[in-house]
Amino acid sequence: MNFDDTPQEAAFRAEAKAWITANAPKQYEEELRKSSLGRTVLKGANILEVAKAWQKKKADAGWACLHWPKEYGGRGSSPIERVIWQQEEGPFGKLSGMFIIGHGMCGPTMMAFAGEEQKRKYLPPLASGEKVWCQLFSEPAGGSDVAGLRTRAEKKGDDWIINGQKIWTSGAHYSDYGILLTRTDPTVPKHKGLTMFFLDMKSRGVEVRPIKQASGQSDFNEVYFTDVKIPDSQRLGAVNDGWNVSLTTLMNERMSIGAGVSTGFPELFDFCNSLMLEDGPAIEDRSVRSRLANYAVKASGLRYTSMRAISALSKGERPGPENSIGKLVAGSMVQEVAMYALDLQGAAGVLSGPEDAEVAGKFQAMLLRAPGTRVEGGTDEIMRNIIAERVLGLPGDIRVDKDVPFNKIPTKGRA
Amino acid sequence: MNFDFSDEQKQMRDEARKFLAEKCPPKAVREVLDGKAPYDKALWKGLAEMGFLGVAIPEKFGGAGAGHLELCVIAEEMGRANAPVPFSSTVYLAAEALLLAGSDAQKQKWLPKIASGEAIGTLALFEGKGNPSPKAIKLQASGGTLNGVKKPVPDGAIADFAVVAARTGSTGRDADISLFLVDLKAGGVEVKELTNVDPTRGQAELTFKNAKAEPLGAAGDGWSILTQMLDRAAVLLAFEQVGGSDRALEMGRDYALDRIAFGRPIGSFQAVKHILADMYVSATLARSNCYYGAWALSTNASELPEAAAAARISATQAFQHCSKNNIQVHGGMGFTWEFDCHMYYRRANTTALMLGSLSYWEDQLIDRMRKKNAA
Ligand SMILES: Cc1cc2nc3c(=O)[nH]c(=O)nc-3n(C[C@H](O)[C@H](O)[C@H](O)COP(=O)(O)OP(=O)(O)OC[C@H]3O[C@@H](n4cnc5c(N)ncnc54)[C@H](O)[C@@H]3O)c2cc1C
């Protein structure tokens, strides 16, 4: 058991560090360091442009998507090297936020199912951030129950014609491409009639409408499809095998979420150190210390759980369903932490915004973003189901729609 | 980086698990639970023969000289089996105290006996309610003798010797405290067994009346040695707690697969699944904190105080969480004497207090994090 770099790892770290020191956009370092969940703003700059520029610079020097093969724009690095890079990249890593879906989910799905020529064409610009991708899975009728989706794809000659609606699509408004899960056969049970595609988001008939989120921001969208044409060559996997293809995406989702989940703890610890209560610094209050300690061991537990996962990965083991734990724990923790930080502020906790609130409204922003964290990428309940069924081996839920043709499944809870 | 136990260490864990499954089935634990024996002597002897009692004791003092990572994997199995033996008091407290502060002669006298199972040791720290604190230590040392009362002392009624924390000064500072070694069989100590929540791990009151004692470590160093001892024991005990958590989770899971209600296994009800998923989460977080503690313990890292407190808190929470919910998943059966659930519930809630309460360790953790941050 050790935390030491091997000579090889140390050499890699030194190289990465030197390159980052020489090239990172340092003018934003402080702002990025201070930013937390729900609040990444760069004064006087468009964050998308800053992020794209940094990603491009990394790609040109061979530091983008480290674990991808070189021919697809990566570096062919080991899992450990990827972690070392993340450690060294530090706050600048936050700039990759808008590429997570493309790099973490769409890329690996393309790698597994697209043709060789397509991979060489589409993956390098995805790795370099020149092209942004989104994931078009969820629909009004299918979120947790992804396979309940209704967007239709019908074959017409060499093309497929798409009609329907997606929702909650993160980044669709600035995405160039997307991976799209559709229904190709409504007469068979729901998991058996799905097909996956990728498409150009600028295609005719694609309409993106930003949704204003509960947090007040607009990061996700509704996407409407009206007679959108997708060539059959952009199909991923076999016709009606889309469910299996989507499992690849979702499995990779877990892996990319695994490492750096935000818990809000470091922010809360700093806050309690600086906040003065009536009787002195918050951190000297017994009840504050007890709460802090509870959050501290959750945060460290998660940190070391992910180190164990990385160690397993470096020995060639595959990431398993146990990685669902990160999102489950961090999601509800960040919400609790935010609520507690507001509680400590008493009446002034209601204030938000950089000018009016304590620590520039960090915790108020966190509070408002946190509910989404517990929903996106699988809700707390779905995460618990995954752990119970796939880690602990408990029976699956009773699925009343399992053998029912999709077009015979009821669509409303209350008749 | 390799944040995992080595293959050899895992092999040792398997060996210990197999041994304990055979020599320490729930039936054996019940002998002690039901008051038929103060501890499982045959098991104790077997543990000595396997070399488990002296795993972290150097070879020149009769041990296996393996190390603390090895001791951690054994500790986990002791917790999993709920072993009714004075392992924690002898190995984590007494032996560690000797290793930390004992003279060569003291080590030579006691460590081989610990490793061979001949001597049971313990720490006599507490004097009634409360948490570890120099102020709470009233027992007086003077002229090589001790006077005062200690309780509760884990395994105090069966121990051959005790490390005793005593007051040697009146400056009001930590330096007032010194440690002593007392041969409990030499006279001068009255022993009274106390009733306790977990009969598989005895507790006693020791009354010292001019009891002969020899200093352990330098005079006035007692509190600093104790702090280190408690940190080391916290990591080891946390591994026991993780072993217990895992076992409680396993029991709950197995029952959920077998028990049928409303025509289906109760494990197919989502409410039950989610209880078990949350048990898994707490056990996993605790395990990871423990691994960090193990690393810090085995390398004597400066991170040990913080790592130990985190492991302690996390493992205490996990064991309490898993053992109480194991009973819940078992329903009425879980509340019977016949089912083993309560043994883990008892153990979880007594282990939680053995080195000071949860809130004590919470306080310690934040203190230590603050100091590190300020540094
Ligand atoms: C910020 C954000 C970003 C998102 N980005 C994307 C994106 O880029 N692309 C994309 O495709 N989707 C995206 N989503 C959608 C997201 O994946 C879904 O919202 C999520 O899977 C939940 O589905 P739902 O909203 O339909 O809720 P529902 O599935 O309707 O769930 C409602 C409630 O029922 C519970 N529930 C449902 N099924 C079960 C069950 N089997 N057992 C127990 N409880 C259950 C849920 O846990 C929840 O509490 C995003 C969502 C958010 C909030």
Side-chain angles (χ1 to χ4, degrees), chain A residues 2 289-290 294 297 300 305 308 311 384-385 389 392 395 397, chain B residues 1-3 253 270 273-274 278 280 288-289 317 362-363 367:
Chain A
N2 66 69
R289 291 161 78 91
S290 169
N294 276 286
V297 302
S300 61
T305 299
R308 287 171 54 205
S311 295
R384 287 195 173 90
N385 286 351
E389 292 170 20
L392 301 178
D397 268 359
Chain B
M1 179 179 77
N2 178 21
F3 195 46
R253 169 188 168 270
Q270 207 176 55
K273 278 194 208 172
H274 287 193
D278 284 340
Y280 171 83
S288 302
N289 277 311
Q317 289 175 337
E362 289 171 352
D363 207 43
D367 236 14

PDB file of all heavy atoms in Angstrom, chain A residues 2 289-290 294 297 300 305 308 311 384-385 389 392 395 397, chain B residues 1-3 253 270 273-274 278 280 288-289 317 362-363 367:
ATOM      1  N   ASN A   2       0.791   2.028  -1.053  1.00  0.00           N
ATOM      2  CA  ASN A   2       1.601   3.251  -1.067  1.00  0.00           C
ATOM      3  C   ASN A   2       1.020   4.269  -2.030  1.00  0.00           C
ATOM      4  O   ASN A   2       0.201   3.941  -2.884  1.00  0.00           O
ATOM      5  CB  ASN A   2       3.042   2.933  -1.466  1.00  0.00           C
ATOM      6  CG  ASN A   2       3.123   2.450  -2.893  1.00  0.00           C
ATOM      7  OD1 ASN A   2       2.893   3.219  -3.830  1.00  0.00           O
ATOM      8  ND2 ASN A   2       3.412   1.179  -3.087  1.00  0.00           N
ATOM      9  N   ARG A 289     -18.539  21.613  14.721  1.00  0.00           N
ATOM     10  CA  ARG A 289     -17.464  20.637  14.553  1.00  0.00           C
ATOM     11  C   ARG A 289     -18.009  19.242  14.285  1.00  0.00           C
ATOM     12  O   ARG A 289     -17.475  18.487  13.480  1.00  0.00           O
ATOM     13  CB  ARG A 289     -16.584  20.620  15.795  1.00  0.00           C
ATOM     14  CG  ARG A 289     -15.793  21.884  15.961  1.00  0.00           C
ATOM     15  CD  ARG A 289     -15.308  22.035  17.380  1.00  0.00           C
ATOM     16  NE  ARG A 289     -14.156  21.208  17.673  1.00  0.00           N
ATOM     17  CZ  ARG A 289     -12.902  21.608  17.520  1.00  0.00           C
ATOM     18  NH1 ARG A 289     -12.669  22.802  17.065  1.00  0.00           N
ATOM     19  NH2 ARG A 289     -11.904  20.819  17.816  1.00  0.00           N
ATOM     20  N   SER A 290     -19.091  18.914  14.973  1.00  0.00           N
ATOM     21  CA  SER A 290     -19.665  17.594  14.779  1.00  0.00           C
ATOM     22  C   SER A 290     -20.183  17.432  13.346  1.00  0.00           C
ATOM     23  O   SER A 290     -19.934  16.422  12.680  1.00  0.00           O
ATOM     24  CB  SER A 290     -20.777  17.391  15.803  1.00  0.00           C
ATOM     25  OG  SER A 290     -21.498  16.244  15.490  1.00  0.00           O
ATOM     26  N   ASN A 294     -18.644  14.916  10.310  1.00  0.00           N
ATOM     27  CA  ASN A 294     -19.452  13.964   9.549  1.00  0.00           C
ATOM     28  C   ASN A 294     -19.284  14.132   8.050  1.00  0.00           C
ATOM     29  O   ASN A 294     -19.183  13.165   7.307  1.00  0.00           O
ATOM     30  CB  ASN A 294     -20.917  14.118   9.925  1.00  0.00           C
ATOM     31  CG  ASN A 294     -21.240  13.328  11.167  1.00  0.00           C
ATOM     32  OD1 ASN A 294     -21.319  12.122  11.115  1.00  0.00           O
ATOM     33  ND2 ASN A 294     -21.347  14.005  12.293  1.00  0.00           N
ATOM     34  N   VAL A 297     -15.631  12.920   6.893  1.00  0.00           N
ATOM     35  CA  VAL A 297     -15.342  11.502   6.661  1.00  0.00           C
ATOM     36  C   VAL A 297     -16.081  10.964   5.438  1.00  0.00           C
ATOM     37  O   VAL A 297     -15.630  10.006   4.813  1.00  0.00           O
ATOM     38  CB  VAL A 297     -15.621  10.617   7.898  1.00  0.00           C
ATOM     39  CG1 VAL A 297     -14.789  11.115   9.082  1.00  0.00           C
ATOM     40  CG2 VAL A 297     -17.082  10.565   8.260  1.00  0.00           C
ATOM     41  N   SER A 300     -13.705  12.236   2.635  1.00  0.00           N
ATOM     42  CA  SER A 300     -12.466  11.457   2.535  1.00  0.00           C
ATOM     43  C   SER A 300     -12.789  10.022   2.130  1.00  0.00           C
ATOM     44  O   SER A 300     -12.049   9.410   1.357  1.00  0.00           O
ATOM     45  CB  SER A 300     -11.661  11.510   3.837  1.00  0.00           C
ATOM     46  OG  SER A 300     -12.400  10.964   4.904  1.00  0.00           O
ATOM     47  N   THR A 305     -12.163   5.953  -1.807  1.00  0.00           N
ATOM     48  CA  THR A 305     -12.856   4.944  -2.602  1.00  0.00           C
ATOM     49  C   THR A 305     -12.436   5.092  -4.066  1.00  0.00           C
ATOM     50  O   THR A 305     -12.190   4.109  -4.755  1.00  0.00           O
ATOM     51  CB  THR A 305     -14.386   5.095  -2.477  1.00  0.00           C
ATOM     52  OG1 THR A 305     -14.747   4.910  -1.111  1.00  0.00           O
ATOM     53  CG2 THR A 305     -15.109   4.061  -3.314  1.00  0.00           C
ATOM     54  N   ARG A 308      -9.050   3.674  -4.546  1.00  0.00           N
ATOM     55  CA  ARG A 308      -9.076   2.210  -4.635  1.00  0.00           C
ATOM     56  C   ARG A 308      -9.513   1.789  -6.029  1.00  0.00           C
ATOM     57  O   ARG A 308      -8.973   0.829  -6.591  1.00  0.00           O
ATOM     58  CB  ARG A 308     -10.017   1.636  -3.570  1.00  0.00           C
ATOM     59  CG  ARG A 308      -9.430   1.733  -2.165  1.00  0.00           C
ATOM     60  CD  ARG A 308     -10.464   1.369  -1.124  1.00  0.00           C
ATOM     61  NE  ARG A 308     -11.059   0.074  -1.360  1.00  0.00           N
ATOM     62  CZ  ARG A 308     -12.266  -0.297  -0.942  1.00  0.00           C
ATOM     63  NH1 ARG A 308     -13.011   0.558  -0.257  1.00  0.00           N
ATOM     64  NH2 ARG A 308     -12.728  -1.483  -1.203  1.00  0.00           N
ATOM     65  N   SER A 311      -6.634   2.248  -8.363  1.00  0.00           N
ATOM     66  CA  SER A 311      -5.652   1.178  -8.180  1.00  0.00           C
ATOM     67  C   SER A 311      -6.111  -0.093  -8.886  1.00  0.00           C
ATOM     68  O   SER A 311      -5.307  -0.788  -9.520  1.00  0.00           O
ATOM     69  CB  SER A 311      -5.433   0.883  -6.688  1.00  0.00           C
ATOM     70  OG  SER A 311      -4.858   1.988  -6.055  1.00  0.00           O
ATOM     71  N   ARG A 384     -29.248   3.631  -6.111  1.00  0.00           N
ATOM     72  CA  ARG A 384     -29.433   2.620  -5.061  1.00  0.00           C
ATOM     73  C   ARG A 384     -29.896   1.293  -5.668  1.00  0.00           C
ATOM     74  O   ARG A 384     -29.468   0.228  -5.229  1.00  0.00           O
ATOM     75  CB  ARG A 384     -30.460   3.089  -4.028  1.00  0.00           C
ATOM     76  CG  ARG A 384     -29.941   4.177  -3.127  1.00  0.00           C
ATOM     77  CD  ARG A 384     -30.840   4.358  -1.901  1.00  0.00           C
ATOM     78  NE  ARG A 384     -30.241   5.300  -0.973  1.00  0.00           N
ATOM     79  CZ  ARG A 384     -30.470   6.617  -1.010  1.00  0.00           C
ATOM     80  NH1 ARG A 384     -31.307   7.120  -1.895  1.00  0.00           N
ATOM     81  NH2 ARG A 384     -29.866   7.408  -0.154  1.00  0.00           N
ATOM     82  N   ASN A 385     -30.754   1.376  -6.670  1.00  0.00           N
ATOM     83  CA  ASN A 385     -31.174   0.137  -7.346  1.00  0.00           C
ATOM     84  C   ASN A 385     -29.968  -0.572  -7.951  1.00  0.00           C
ATOM     85  O   ASN A 385     -29.839  -1.796  -7.854  1.00  0.00           O
ATOM     86  CB  ASN A 385     -32.183   0.437  -8.455  1.00  0.00           C
ATOM     87  CG  ASN A 385     -33.563   0.793  -7.911  1.00  0.00           C
ATOM     88  OD1 ASN A 385     -33.810   0.662  -6.716  1.00  0.00           O
ATOM     89  ND2 ASN A 385     -34.446   1.238  -8.790  1.00  0.00           N
ATOM     90  N   GLU A 389     -28.951  -4.234  -6.851  1.00  0.00           N
ATOM     91  CA  GLU A 389     -29.114  -5.336  -7.788  1.00  0.00           C
ATOM     92  C   GLU A 389     -27.779  -5.839  -8.328  1.00  0.00           C
ATOM     93  O   GLU A 389     -27.541  -7.040  -8.397  1.00  0.00           O
ATOM     94  CB  GLU A 389     -30.028  -4.912  -8.944  1.00  0.00           C
ATOM     95  CG  GLU A 389     -31.464  -4.700  -8.466  1.00  0.00           C
ATOM     96  CD  GLU A 389     -32.356  -4.041  -9.505  1.00  0.00           C
ATOM     97  OE1 GLU A 389     -32.008  -4.073 -10.704  1.00  0.00           O
ATOM     98  OE2 GLU A 389     -33.408  -3.480  -9.112  1.00  0.00           O
ATOM     99  N   LEU A 392     -24.983  -6.069  -4.883  1.00  0.00           N
ATOM    100  CA  LEU A 392     -25.393  -6.986  -3.821  1.00  0.00           C
ATOM    101  C   LEU A 392     -26.177  -8.191  -4.341  1.00  0.00           C
ATOM    102  O   LEU A 392     -26.468  -9.116  -3.589  1.00  0.00           O
ATOM    103  CB  LEU A 392     -26.221  -6.234  -2.768  1.00  0.00           C
ATOM    104  CG  LEU A 392     -25.494  -5.057  -2.083  1.00  0.00           C
ATOM    105  CD1 LEU A 392     -26.419  -4.344  -1.103  1.00  0.00           C
ATOM    106  CD2 LEU A 392     -24.242  -5.541  -1.360  1.00  0.00           C
ATOM    107  N   PRO A 395     -32.818  -9.250  -6.157  1.00  0.00           N
ATOM    108  CA  PRO A 395     -33.646  -9.426  -7.360  1.00  0.00           C
ATOM    109  C   PRO A 395     -33.979  -8.084  -8.009  1.00  0.00           C
ATOM    110  O   PRO A 395     -34.102  -7.076  -7.319  1.00  0.00           O
ATOM    111  CB  PRO A 395     -34.930 -10.074  -6.828  1.00  0.00           C
ATOM    112  CG  PRO A 395     -34.640 -10.502  -5.442  1.00  0.00           C
ATOM    113  CD  PRO A 395     -33.494  -9.702  -4.941  1.00  0.00           C
ATOM    114  N   ASP A 397     -36.264  -5.223  -9.889  1.00  0.00           N
ATOM    115  CA  ASP A 397     -37.625  -4.769  -9.629  1.00  0.00           C
ATOM    116  C   ASP A 397     -38.600  -5.565 -10.493  1.00  0.00           C
ATOM    117  O   ASP A 397     -38.235  -6.017 -11.576  1.00  0.00           O
ATOM    118  CB  ASP A 397     -37.764  -3.290 -10.008  1.00  0.00           C
ATOM    119  CG  ASP A 397     -37.498  -2.393  -8.815  1.00  0.00           C
ATOM    120  OD1 ASP A 397     -37.239  -2.923  -7.722  1.00  0.00           O
ATOM    121  OD2 ASP A 397     -37.525  -1.167  -9.002  1.00  0.00           O
TER     122      ASP A 397
ATOM    123  N   MET B   1       1.218   4.538  -7.476  1.00  0.00           N
ATOM    124  CA  MET B   1       0.283   4.381  -6.371  1.00  0.00           C
ATOM    125  C   MET B   1      -0.342   2.997  -6.392  1.00  0.00           C
ATOM    126  O   MET B   1      -0.715   2.486  -7.432  1.00  0.00           O
ATOM    127  CB  MET B   1      -0.843   5.416  -6.507  1.00  0.00           C
ATOM    128  CG  MET B   1      -1.869   5.301  -5.424  1.00  0.00           C
ATOM    129  SD  MET B   1      -3.170   6.541  -5.565  1.00  0.00           S
ATOM    130  CE  MET B   1      -4.165   5.871  -6.869  1.00  0.00           C
ATOM    131  N   ASN B   2      -0.403   2.376  -5.229  1.00  0.00           N
ATOM    132  CA  ASN B   2      -1.161   1.146  -5.118  1.00  0.00           C
ATOM    133  C   ASN B   2      -1.933   1.185  -3.804  1.00  0.00           C
ATOM    134  O   ASN B   2      -1.399   0.869  -2.742  1.00  0.00           O
ATOM    135  CB  ASN B   2      -0.241  -0.074  -5.170  1.00  0.00           C
ATOM    136  CG  ASN B   2      -1.055  -1.338  -5.008  1.00  0.00           C
ATOM    137  OD1 ASN B   2      -2.261  -1.346  -5.249  1.00  0.00           O
ATOM    138  ND2 ASN B   2      -0.422  -2.397  -4.559  1.00  0.00           N
ATOM    139  N   PHE B   3      -3.192   1.600  -3.896  1.00  0.00           N
ATOM    140  CA  PHE B   3      -3.979   1.811  -2.691  1.00  0.00           C
ATOM    141  C   PHE B   3      -4.798   0.565  -2.393  1.00  0.00           C
ATOM    142  O   PHE B   3      -6.012   0.569  -2.435  1.00  0.00           O
ATOM    143  CB  PHE B   3      -4.867   3.034  -2.890  1.00  0.00           C
ATOM    144  CG  PHE B   3      -5.445   3.561  -1.612  1.00  0.00           C
ATOM    145  CD1 PHE B   3      -4.659   3.726  -0.487  1.00  0.00           C
ATOM    146  CD2 PHE B   3      -6.768   3.915  -1.536  1.00  0.00           C
ATOM    147  CE1 PHE B   3      -5.181   4.214   0.691  1.00  0.00           C
ATOM    148  CE2 PHE B   3      -7.309   4.413  -0.362  1.00  0.00           C
ATOM    149  CZ  PHE B   3      -6.515   4.557   0.750  1.00  0.00           C
ATOM    150  N   ARG B 253     -28.406  -9.140   3.577  1.00  0.00           N
ATOM    151  CA  ARG B 253     -28.602  -9.466   2.172  1.00  0.00           C
ATOM    152  C   ARG B 253     -29.078 -10.912   2.025  1.00  0.00           C
ATOM    153  O   ARG B 253     -30.030 -11.198   1.289  1.00  0.00           O
ATOM    154  CB  ARG B 253     -27.287  -9.263   1.442  1.00  0.00           C
ATOM    155  CG  ARG B 253     -27.267  -9.790   0.058  1.00  0.00           C
ATOM    156  CD  ARG B 253     -25.855  -9.697  -0.498  1.00  0.00           C
ATOM    157  NE  ARG B 253     -25.763 -10.448  -1.724  1.00  0.00           N
ATOM    158  CZ  ARG B 253     -25.425 -11.720  -1.778  1.00  0.00           C
ATOM    159  NH1 ARG B 253     -25.143 -12.395  -0.671  1.00  0.00           N
ATOM    160  NH2 ARG B 253     -25.358 -12.333  -2.940  1.00  0.00           N
ATOM    161  N   GLN B 270     -38.289  -2.480  -3.005  1.00  0.00           N
ATOM    162  CA  GLN B 270     -37.297  -1.439  -3.149  1.00  0.00           C
ATOM    163  C   GLN B 270     -36.889  -0.800  -1.814  1.00  0.00           C
ATOM    164  O   GLN B 270     -35.725  -0.446  -1.620  1.00  0.00           O
ATOM    165  CB  GLN B 270     -37.821  -0.375  -4.100  1.00  0.00           C
ATOM    166  CG  GLN B 270     -36.692   0.333  -4.781  1.00  0.00           C
ATOM    167  CD  GLN B 270     -37.205   1.303  -5.793  1.00  0.00           C
ATOM    168  OE1 GLN B 270     -38.012   2.176  -5.489  1.00  0.00           O
ATOM    169  NE2 GLN B 270     -36.766   1.150  -7.004  1.00  0.00           N
ATOM    170  N   LYS B 273     -34.272  -2.973  -0.530  1.00  0.00           N
ATOM    171  CA  LYS B 273     -33.058  -2.839  -1.345  1.00  0.00           C
ATOM    172  C   LYS B 273     -32.298  -1.574  -0.995  1.00  0.00           C
ATOM    173  O   LYS B 273     -31.084  -1.566  -0.921  1.00  0.00           O
ATOM    174  CB  LYS B 273     -33.448  -2.721  -2.814  1.00  0.00           C
ATOM    175  CG  LYS B 273     -33.720  -4.005  -3.495  1.00  0.00           C
ATOM    176  CD  LYS B 273     -33.727  -3.674  -4.977  1.00  0.00           C
ATOM    177  CE  LYS B 273     -34.604  -4.608  -5.704  1.00  0.00           C
ATOM    178  NZ  LYS B 273     -34.781  -4.227  -7.096  1.00  0.00           N
ATOM    179  N   HIS B 274     -33.056  -0.513  -0.823  1.00  0.00           N
ATOM    180  CA  HIS B 274     -32.389   0.764  -0.569  1.00  0.00           C
ATOM    181  C   HIS B 274     -31.750   0.806   0.820  1.00  0.00           C
ATOM    182  O   HIS B 274     -30.694   1.409   0.997  1.00  0.00           O
ATOM    183  CB  HIS B 274     -33.357   1.928  -0.797  1.00  0.00           C
ATOM    184  CG  HIS B 274     -33.639   2.143  -2.263  1.00  0.00           C
ATOM    185  ND1 HIS B 274     -34.259   3.255  -2.758  1.00  0.00           N
ATOM    186  CD2 HIS B 274     -33.354   1.370  -3.344  1.00  0.00           C
ATOM    187  CE1 HIS B 274     -34.359   3.159  -4.080  1.00  0.00           C
ATOM    188  NE2 HIS B 274     -33.816   2.020  -4.449  1.00  0.00           N
ATOM    189  N   ASP B 278     -27.749   1.430   1.143  1.00  0.00           N
ATOM    190  CA  ASP B 278     -27.157   2.425   2.040  1.00  0.00           C
ATOM    191  C   ASP B 278     -26.175   1.793   3.031  1.00  0.00           C
ATOM    192  O   ASP B 278     -25.193   2.412   3.422  1.00  0.00           O
ATOM    193  CB  ASP B 278     -28.254   3.185   2.789  1.00  0.00           C
ATOM    194  CG  ASP B 278     -28.940   4.208   1.879  1.00  0.00           C
ATOM    195  OD1 ASP B 278     -28.352   4.578   0.850  1.00  0.00           O
ATOM    196  OD2 ASP B 278     -30.078   4.630   2.200  1.00  0.00           O
ATOM    197  N   TYR B 280     -24.335  -0.743   2.261  1.00  0.00           N
ATOM    198  CA  TYR B 280     -23.142  -0.936   1.430  1.00  0.00           C
ATOM    199  C   TYR B 280     -22.350   0.369   1.311  1.00  0.00           C
ATOM    200  O   TYR B 280     -21.128   0.382   1.412  1.00  0.00           O
ATOM    201  CB  TYR B 280     -23.551  -1.439   0.041  1.00  0.00           C
ATOM    202  CG  TYR B 280     -22.415  -1.450  -0.943  1.00  0.00           C
ATOM    203  CD1 TYR B 280     -21.525  -2.516  -0.974  1.00  0.00           C
ATOM    204  CD2 TYR B 280     -22.221  -0.396  -1.828  1.00  0.00           C
ATOM    205  CE1 TYR B 280     -20.454  -2.520  -1.872  1.00  0.00           C
ATOM    206  CE2 TYR B 280     -21.169  -0.389  -2.718  1.00  0.00           C
ATOM    207  CZ  TYR B 280     -20.296  -1.457  -2.733  1.00  0.00           C
ATOM    208  OH  TYR B 280     -19.237  -1.453  -3.612  1.00  0.00           O
ATOM    209  N   SER B 288     -12.734   2.542   2.916  1.00  0.00           N
ATOM    210  CA  SER B 288     -11.759   3.391   2.237  1.00  0.00           C
ATOM    211  C   SER B 288     -11.021   4.289   3.230  1.00  0.00           C
ATOM    212  O   SER B 288      -9.807   4.466   3.137  1.00  0.00           O
ATOM    213  CB  SER B 288     -12.446   4.231   1.158  1.00  0.00           C
ATOM    214  OG  SER B 288     -13.084   3.373   0.235  1.00  0.00           O
ATOM    215  N   ASN B 289     -11.750   4.843   4.185  1.00  0.00           N
ATOM    216  CA  ASN B 289     -11.088   5.635   5.229  1.00  0.00           C
ATOM    217  C   ASN B 289     -10.111   4.769   6.028  1.00  0.00           C
ATOM    218  O   ASN B 289      -9.044   5.227   6.425  1.00  0.00           O
ATOM    219  CB  ASN B 289     -12.127   6.247   6.177  1.00  0.00           C
ATOM    220  CG  ASN B 289     -12.728   7.538   5.625  1.00  0.00           C
ATOM    221  OD1 ASN B 289     -11.998   8.433   5.199  1.00  0.00           O
ATOM    222  ND2 ASN B 289     -14.047   7.636   5.619  1.00  0.00           N
ATOM    223  N   GLN B 317     -19.637   4.792  12.581  1.00  0.00           N
ATOM    224  CA  GLN B 317     -20.936   5.067  11.952  1.00  0.00           C
ATOM    225  C   GLN B 317     -21.396   3.873  11.121  1.00  0.00           C
ATOM    226  O   GLN B 317     -22.557   3.473  11.177  1.00  0.00           O
ATOM    227  CB  GLN B 317     -20.820   6.274  11.027  1.00  0.00           C
ATOM    228  CG  GLN B 317     -20.662   7.599  11.756  1.00  0.00           C
ATOM    229  CD  GLN B 317     -20.438   8.749  10.796  1.00  0.00           C
ATOM    230  OE1 GLN B 317     -19.983   8.547   9.655  1.00  0.00           O
ATOM    231  NE2 GLN B 317     -20.741   9.959  11.227  1.00  0.00           N
ATOM    232  N   GLU B 362     -14.998  13.126  16.684  1.00  0.00           N
ATOM    233  CA  GLU B 362     -15.369  14.209  15.765  1.00  0.00           C
ATOM    234  C   GLU B 362     -14.599  15.473  16.113  1.00  0.00           C
ATOM    235  O   GLU B 362     -14.031  16.155  15.258  1.00  0.00           O
ATOM    236  CB  GLU B 362     -16.876  14.482  15.847  1.00  0.00           C
ATOM    237  CG  GLU B 362     -17.723  13.388  15.228  1.00  0.00           C
ATOM    238  CD  GLU B 362     -19.220  13.554  15.510  1.00  0.00           C
ATOM    239  OE1 GLU B 362     -19.597  14.434  16.312  1.00  0.00           O
ATOM    240  OE2 GLU B 362     -20.006  12.784  14.939  1.00  0.00           O
ATOM    241  N   ASP B 363     -14.577  15.739  17.403  1.00  0.00           N
ATOM    242  CA  ASP B 363     -13.855  16.909  17.889  1.00  0.00           C
ATOM    243  C   ASP B 363     -12.364  16.805  17.555  1.00  0.00           C
ATOM    244  O   ASP B 363     -11.739  17.761  17.087  1.00  0.00           O
ATOM    245  CB  ASP B 363     -14.057  16.951  19.406  1.00  0.00           C
ATOM    246  CG  ASP B 363     -13.960  18.350  19.939  1.00  0.00           C
ATOM    247  OD1 ASP B 363     -14.522  19.252  19.299  1.00  0.00           O
ATOM    248  OD2 ASP B 363     -13.311  18.537  20.985  1.00  0.00           O
ATOM    249  N   ASP B 367     -10.064  19.279  15.078  1.00  0.00           N
ATOM    250  CA  ASP B 367      -8.874  19.874  15.671  1.00  0.00           C
ATOM    251  C   ASP B 367      -7.644  19.597  14.818  1.00  0.00           C
ATOM    252  O   ASP B 367      -6.845  20.479  14.529  1.00  0.00           O
ATOM    253  CB  ASP B 367      -8.648  19.222  17.043  1.00  0.00           C
ATOM    254  CG  ASP B 367      -8.600  20.251  18.132  1.00  0.00           C
ATOM    255  OD1 ASP B 367      -9.000  21.400  17.872  1.00  0.00           O
ATOM    256  OD2 ASP B 367      -8.161  19.900  19.240  1.00  0.00           O
TER     257      ASP B 367
END
